[in-house]
Structures are given as structure tokens and as C-alpha cells.
């Protein structure tokens, strides 16, 4: 009697254990999968063409965008180019608020789609263009205002191209990051962020033949970005130039031509410079 009830208890226990295991197995199979990490880019970007970005996407705050465009003195005559344009806000605000034309380039096609839609929504689709392109191959020659929110080493990589390709007088504004030993022409602090302005200087380094109503002289100019110094040789005498200023293509200096000091104010145009009553031609580097 005892033996039979013992066996029944053992069998019932085994059945309960078996049912429990089966239930657990069914539960595991039917459970939804653990949530996966959310993709950083939209699915279209992930579909075989995720770009290898040099800088992550972080937007410039709207107040800082406005301050950057103001610092550059942006007007309706400008072509504003934003390298790594994110959601397109800088060219779009330049077009909407300043009447400028704008170009944004970004490596990420999702950003380009987003920017194009944003431009249409802002009513500036006819004045702003967005292009999927690597900023390292984007031509800079047409930009009169170049905007950057990149990284210090990328600014440094762009620096020779800015100085070589952009026209003298064009402006460059950068959010947060500077350009090494190229001192900015102006800087502001907006919402705890530094913004920097550089004005592309004309290339004046070298030797120049100067002609005035009073005679001829030779100028030798040394240049470090917008900082210029030099000497003038007239009547067999060499004297340093004083108070030399270079802002874009505009140059000014004081020089002694023999008959006393004179102030020269003029404009550089490639291998020539000229002002009222004087002109100079490049004769060597
Ligand atoms: C810090 S965000 C700046 C966005 C925008 N300029 C702003 O200030 O709001 C940098 C942008 O550069 C883009 N980017 C990164 N590497 C790039 C490259 N090599 N060429 C073009 N765009 C790039 C990123 O996709 C991102 O949208």
C-alpha cells in the first residue's frame, strides 16, 4: 500500500517537472528578442553605404549660427559654403535671414535628404543646394563665406586650401576650433562657445617695384598670414616699412621715399597693387 502511493507520488513529481520544463521551453521560444542597439544612421544609410565620417553629426546651436553669419558680415551678395553641413541649418539660415546663396556638403546621404527637405520647408529651395560630397574634395574658390564646425586637425588640413583657393577678402568662420598659428581677425564667445573669423589675406610676400609720381623704389615684403613686414629701398637707402596692414586685398603701409614719410593705401590684385598716386608690380618671390 505504502509502496504504491510512494510510486504515484514519484510519478506525479516527474510529470510536474516535465510539464514545467516544457512550459519554460515554450516561453523562451515565444519571448520577443532582446532590444537591439538603435542604429546611429537611418536604414537607408546603413543599407550597404554607411559613410566613414571624419566628424560626427552635432548641430551648431541656432544662436551661434546667427552669430557666425553676423561675425562674417554675411549679406545677399555672399555665397555661403558649409563643409559638413549636417541638417543644413547654416546655409538655410544664411539664405533665409541674409538673402545669401548657400551650398552645404556632407558625406552622409541621410543628412543631404534631411537638409534638402529643410530648405524646401524654409522656402529657400531655390537659393540653397546640398550635395553629398567629401569636404576634402569640395572646391572652395566660389565661397565668399566658409563655415566650419569640424575638428582642429581638419581645420589645419583645410588651411592651405583656404589660403590657396579662396579669394582675398573671403571670410572663414569656425565654431569652437581655431586654425593653429593663423591668428583670427576676430573672435566672439556665444553661449560659452568660441567662434572665430579669418579674412583670407592676399599673397604679398616677395619683391615689388614701386612707382610713384616722385620716383621708383623697391619693396621687399615678408608675410605670415595677415601679418606683413618689409623694407623699402629708395635712393640707395633701405628703411623698414611702418604700420603695415593687410586685410583681404586691402594693403596700407607708411614708407620713407627719401623726401619724408608717406602713407600708401591700396589694393592687391594678383601680381599688381595700386592706390592713389602709386602702383607696384611683383618682380620676384
Ligand atoms: C559637427 S557636424 C556640423 C554640422 C553643421 N555644419 C552645423 O554646424 O550644424 C559635422 C558634419 O560633417 C559631416 N562629415 C563628416 N565627415 C565628412 C566628410 N569627410 N565630408 C563631408 N562631410 C563630413 C558629418 O556627417 C556631420 O554632419
Amino acid at each position: 500500500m505504502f509502496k504504491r502511493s510512494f510510486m504515484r507520488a514519484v510519478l506525479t513529481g516527474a510529470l510536474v517537472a516535465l510539464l514545467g520544463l516544457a512550459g519554460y521551453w515554450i516561453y523562451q521560444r515565444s519571448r520577443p528578442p532582446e532590444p537591439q542597439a538603435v542604429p546611429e544612421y537611418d536604414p537607408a544609410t546603413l543599407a550597404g553605404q554607411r559613410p566613414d565620417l571624419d566628424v560626427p553629426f552635432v548641430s551648431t546651436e541656432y544662436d551661434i549660427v546667427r552669430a557666425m553669419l553676423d561675425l562674417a558680415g554675411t549679406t545677399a551678395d555672399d555665397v555661403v559654403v558649409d563643409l559638413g553641413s549636417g541638417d543644413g541649418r547654416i546655409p538655410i539660415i544664411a539664405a533665409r535671414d541674409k538673402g545669401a546663396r548657400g551650398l552645404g556638403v556632407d558625406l552622409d546621404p541621410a543628412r543631404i535628404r534631411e537638409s534638402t527637405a529643410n530648405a524646401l520647408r524654409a522656402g529657400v529651395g531655390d537659393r540653397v543646394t546640398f550635395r553629398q560630397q567629401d569636404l576634402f574634395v569640395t572646391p572652395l574658390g566660389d565661397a565668399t563665406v566658409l563655415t566650419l564646425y569640424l575638428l582642429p586637425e581638419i581645420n589645419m588640413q583645410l588651411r592651405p586650401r583656404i589660403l590657396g583657393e579662396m579669394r582675398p577678402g573671403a571670410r572663414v568662420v569656425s565654431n569652437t576650433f581655431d586654425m593653429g598659428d593663423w591668428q583670427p581677425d576676430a573672435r566672439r564667445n556665444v553661449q560659452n562657445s568660441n567662434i572665430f573669423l579669418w579674412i583670407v589675406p592676399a599673397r604679398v610676400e616677395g619683391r615689388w617695384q614701386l612707382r610713384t609720381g616722385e620716383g621708383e623704389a623697391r619693396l621687399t615684403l615678408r608675410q605670415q598670414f595677415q601679418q606683413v613686414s618689409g623694407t623699402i629701398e629708395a635712393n640707395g637707402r633701405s628703411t623698414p616699412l611702418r604700420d603695415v596692414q593687410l586685410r583681404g586685398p586691402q594693403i596700407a603701409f607708411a614708407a620713407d621715399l627719401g623726401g619724408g614719410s608717406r602713407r600708401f593705401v591700396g589694393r592687391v590684385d594678383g601680381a599688381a597693387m595700386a592706390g592713389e598716386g602709386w602702383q607696384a608690380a611683383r618682380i620676384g618671390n
Side-chain angles (χ1 to χ4, degrees):
M1 179 73 187
F2 171 78
K3 205 173 167 184
R4 211 177 310 146
S5 45
F6 174 76
M7 283 303 288
R8 206 180 302 136
V10 168
L11 281 174
T12 310
L15 195 66
V16 166
L18 210 64
L19 281 173
L21 273 172
Y24 180 72
W25 183 78
I26 290 167
Y27 164 75
Q28 280 295 330
R29 290 289 299 245
S30 60
R31 216 164 67 132
E34 290 294 332
Q36 300 295 309
V38 177
E40 203 177 326
Y41 302 98
D42 77 7
T45 311
L46 285 170
Q49 50 167 338
R50 181 178 170 143
D52 206 357
L53 299 177
D54 294 284
V55 193
F57 172 47
V58 184
S59 289
T60 296
E61 294 290 325
Y62 286 108
D63 282 350
I64 301 176
V65 173
R66 282 186 275 273
M68 288 168 75
L69 294 171
D70 285 346
L71 189 60
T74 311
T75 71
D77 294 331
D78 280 311
V79 176
V80 176
V81 175
D82 189 28
L83 292 182
S85 46
D87 66 4
R89 60 181 61 195
I90 297 181
I92 290 171
I93 292 173
R96 192 195 62 193
D97 296 359
K98 307 288 186 186
R101 280 178 297 137
L103 169 69
V105 299
D106 204 291
L107 212 50
D108 189 337
R111 298 276 91 79
I112 297 302
R113 284 195 295 278
E114 186 183 351
S115 304
T116 306
N118 288 343
L120 291 176
R121 255 199 302 276
V124 295
D126 55 339
R127 291 210 302 287
V128 179
T129 307
F130 292 99
R131 193 191 293 158
Q132 189 197 347
Q133 191 174 57
D134 191 332
L135 63 88
F136 290 108
V137 301
T138 301
L140 305 180
D142 287 338
T144 59
V145 174
L146 184 73
T147 56
L148 311 171
Y149 183 24
L150 299 168
L151 287 170
E153 60 271 22
I154 297 184
N155 282 6
M156 288 302 280
Q157 277 175 269
L158 289 170
R159 198 173 85 170
R161 290 192 47 217
I162 289 170
L163 291 162
E165 289 179 38
M166 293 181 74
R167 278 173 291 207
R171 292 90 80 206
V172 181
V173 218
S174 172
N175 180 0
T176 306
F177 303 112
D178 66 16
M179 294 260 194
D181 59 350
W182 183 9
Q183 295 302 313
D185 291 279
R187 64 193 293 165
R188 300 272 182 282
N189 188 276
V190 187
Q191 290 186 357
N192 294 323
S193 288
N194 287 318
I195 55 174
F196 302 93
L197 167 76
W198 296 266
I199 297 169
V200 175
R203 195 177 76 80
V204 296
E205 170 111 16
R207 288 180 298 120
W208 299 76
Q209 188 69 26
L210 174 72
R211 291 188 181 85
T212 72
E214 297 92 62
E216 298 211 358
R218 184 156 298 183
L219 292 175
T220 303
L221 301 179
R222 287 175 297 277
Q223 176 171 20
Q224 173 81 346
F225 308 109
Q226 68 273 58
Q227 309 294 333
V228 178
S229 61
T231 52
I232 186 165
E233 270 176 72
N235 306 318
R237 216 166 61 97
S238 175
T239 52
L241 299 177
R242 292 185 313 282
D243 193 19
V244 189
Q245 286 161 4
L246 180 67
R247 190 175 170 89
Q250 312 291 340
I251 191 163
F253 52 91
D256 191 349
L257 271 167
S261 181
R262 174 179 163 181
R263 183 127 188 100
F264 292 81
V265 177
R267 190 183 166 85
V268 185
D269 186 6
M273 57 172 107
E276 219 178 301
W278 68 275
Q279 60 193 41
R282 181 186 285 282
I283 53 169
N285 289 317

